[in-house]
Every structure is written in structure tokens, then in C-alpha cells.
Amino acid sequence: MIVWLLLLAVSRAPTTHTVEIRGMEFHPAALTVVAGDTIVWINRDIVPHTATATGRTKWDTGQLSQGQVGRYVARGAGVVRYACTLHPTMHGKLVIR
Amino acid sequence: MSHSGHRLFPLPLALAFVFTTVLHAQNPTPAPAAAPDLSDPEVAHVAVTANSIDIDAAKFAQTRTQNPAVKQFAATMITDHTAVNAQAAALATKLGVTPADNAVSQSLESGAKQAHAALEPLHGAAFDRAYMEREVGYHQAVLDAIDKLLIPTTENAELRKLLVDVRPAIATHLEHAKQLKAQLSPPARAGR
């Protein structure tokens, strides 16, 4: 029982992180998460945006209108870069541990 | 703001001319420059007109370009400026404001017609370069207008906030257009 409780305490519950899209930027632009965590993007801008992986791992929130949210559950470890497909000057980065 | 290279596309020049003219007309003394006296319904009309002009230009570009990046840029212009106009329309309804036509809007429309006429005969890479050059000039002029004319002259706080909120999108469009323009190959030189 004690061992089980210790394991429970040591193991980390998945966390949800929020990235705000406002002023045509991702805030924060770089985010460190743990595999299994959920990242939520919420678009505060008038114009639509996406958060779309640009590396080998493929994921895409799809087009988010103002007030809409998109989610991604982080898989594997490493650095994942993403961008807005509508606005190629907008970039973000996830560091997954 | 540099206007070099915009000889074929008078819209940015027209915008700058209008704004400069209006500024001077309202300010007989050279300094300090104050915002011209556009009413809020006129500001709303200018904003909607400016968005609609870029939507129309993008729709035309989509029928003409074969370049995927230019096509995507045009799609983004349609998406974004449509979203802004929807927001502007919703705000106008909420405020009970009817956008009012004015000299600046009319000049924008006139400039857009000239710009379209300049683009009409072009095809292929020549069209892509000309369209992107036009988009760089147009967004720079709109950005300047937002900063120097529209925001300073707007009295209603919500309308002013809309303009402030839209500004980063215009700046991003400008940067996007500049990058795309730089990526397009330069015109072939005679004798090559």
C-alpha cells in the first residue's frame, strides 16, 4: 500500500497547457511539456489561425476562428516545431520531455 | 515608406496621396500634423472598403496565378479580410452606425480599379510578381493609414479597438507579402 502510494506520488498526472494566439503570435512561442500533456491553443485574434506541425510528426489543429480552441496530446520526446499555415511568419515550438 | 517600384500600381500611391492631401488640407500650418476630421461612420466605411478591395484583388489573383504559394497567400487574404469585415459589420450593427461613403473610400475604389487594370493583361510569373508587389505596397499604405489616419481620428473606443486589433494582421500580411515577393524569381533580362 505504501509503495503504491509512493508510486502514485512520484508519477505525474498529465497537465494541460494553454497557448494563446493573439496579435498574430503564439504566446508562449516556446513551451516545455511532458509526453502525455495536452496543449490547448485558443485563438483570440479576429482572423483564423492554425497550429500545424512542420516536422516529421504530423498534427494540425485545423482552422481556428476567434474564440475556438484546438488540442494536441504530446507524444514522444524532442523538439516539435509548428506554424500557422495561413500565416507562415507565425512560428511556435514544443519541447517535449 | 518607399514607393519605388510601384509605377504600375497606383493604389498605394493613391492611398498615400489621399492621406497626405487630407492631412495637409486639415493642417494649413506645416506642424504639428493632426488627424483629419473623418467621422466614425466614415472611418468604418474606409475600413470596410480597404478590406473589400483586397478581397477582390485576391479573388482575381486566384483565377490568374498558377503559383501555389501565391494562391495560398490570396486565400489567406480572402479569409482574413472577410473575417475583419464581418467583425466590422457586427460592430457597426451593435453601435447603430451606418458606414458613410467619403472621399477617402472613393479614392481607394478608384485606385483599386487602376491597379486591377494594370494586373489584367499580366500572366504567369509576371502576374505573380506584379500582384505581390501590389500587395506589399497596399498593405504598407493601409498600415500607415491605420496608424496616421484611422486610429487617430476615431472617437468610438470600440471602433478604435477594432482598428488596433486588426493592425497586427495587416503587419503580418505585409511581412508575408514581402517574403513571397522576394522568393519570386526576378524578371528575365534581355540577352540571357
Side-chain angles (χ1 to χ4, degrees):
Chain A
M1 182 64 178
I2 293 171
V3 172
W4 183 80
L5 284 172
L6 279 172
L7 282 173
L8 193 66
V10 170
S11 66
R12 175 183 173 282
T15 305
T16 297
H17 307 265
T18 300
V19 176
E20 276 194 52
I21 310 173
R22 56 182 154 81
M24 309 299 282
E25 292 176 342
F26 296 105
H27 298 273
L31 180 65
T32 300
V33 304
V34 174
D37 285 357
T38 298
I39 300 95
V40 173
W41 286 267
I42 179 160
N43 181 17
R44 306 283 190 201
D45 278 342
I46 295 170
V47 301
H49 293 292
T50 77
T52 308
T54 54
R56 278 179 297 178
T57 308
K58 299 297 178 191
W59 49 265
D60 184 6
T61 61
Q63 198 163 299
L64 305 174
S65 297
Q66 189 176 34
Q68 286 190 318
V69 298
R71 290 181 174 80
Y72 170 66
V73 178
R75 307 279 180 214
V79 175
V80 178
R81 296 181 189 282
Y82 65 92
C84 171
T85 56
L86 297 171
H87 310 102
T89 57
M90 293 174 60
H91 298 280
K93 181 173 79 173
L94 300 178
V95 179
I96 305 174
R97 290 178 175 163
Chain B
M1 175 171 102
S2 169
H3 293 299
S4 62
H6 297 307
R7 283 178 289 113
L8 280 173
F9 311 103
L11 184 54
L13 290 172
L15 265 171
F17 175 77
V18 164
F19 297 145
T20 305
T21 303
V22 173
L23 279 166
H24 284 300
Q26 298 295 321
N27 299 283
T29 51
D37 191 19
L38 280 184
S39 68
D40 283 1
E42 288 173 335
V43 168
H45 198 280
V46 169
V48 170
T49 302
N51 280 303
S52 299
I53 284 170
D54 208 48
I55 291 168
D56 290 345
K59 284 179 177 174
F60 176 63
Q62 284 193 318
T63 68
R64 186 61 63 90
T65 185
Q66 300 299 317
N67 183 312
V70 174
K71 207 174 270 280
Q72 192 198 342
F73 175 88
T76 295
M77 293 308 104
I78 293 169
T79 300
D80 285 4
H81 290 289
T82 300
V84 173
N85 264 359
Q87 195 95 350
L91 180 60
T93 301
K94 178 187 170 188
L95 298 176
V97 167
T98 302
D101 197 5
N102 59 85
V104 176
S105 293
Q106 288 162 14
S107 175
L108 284 171
E109 295 278 11
S110 168
K113 282 179 186 167
Q114 292 176 54
H116 181 83
L119 288 170
E120 176 62 46
L122 302 176
H123 294 269
F127 174 84
D128 293 339
R129 283 192 300 272
Y131 171 61
M132 293 317 305
E133 183 179 315
R134 184 258 186 208
E135 288 298 290
V136 168
Y138 187 77
H139 282 90
Q140 182 64 68
V142 169
L143 205 53
D144 288 348
I146 288 173
D147 289 341
K148 296 170 187 169
L149 175 71
L150 301 179
I151 289 176
T153 200
T154 302
E155 291 183 2
N156 181 275
E158 288 185 82
L159 181 56
R160 195 183 312 115
K161 183 180 184 305
L162 176 64
L163 294 167
V164 169
D165 288 348
V166 164
R167 192 192 185 284
I170 304 301
T172 299
H173 291 172
L174 175 60
E175 193 56 35
H176 188 176
K178 282 180 177 176
Q179 288 182 8
L180 200 44
K181 179 174 174 275
Q183 288 167 17
L184 297 173
S185 57
R189 293 179 187 279
R192 273 188 160 180

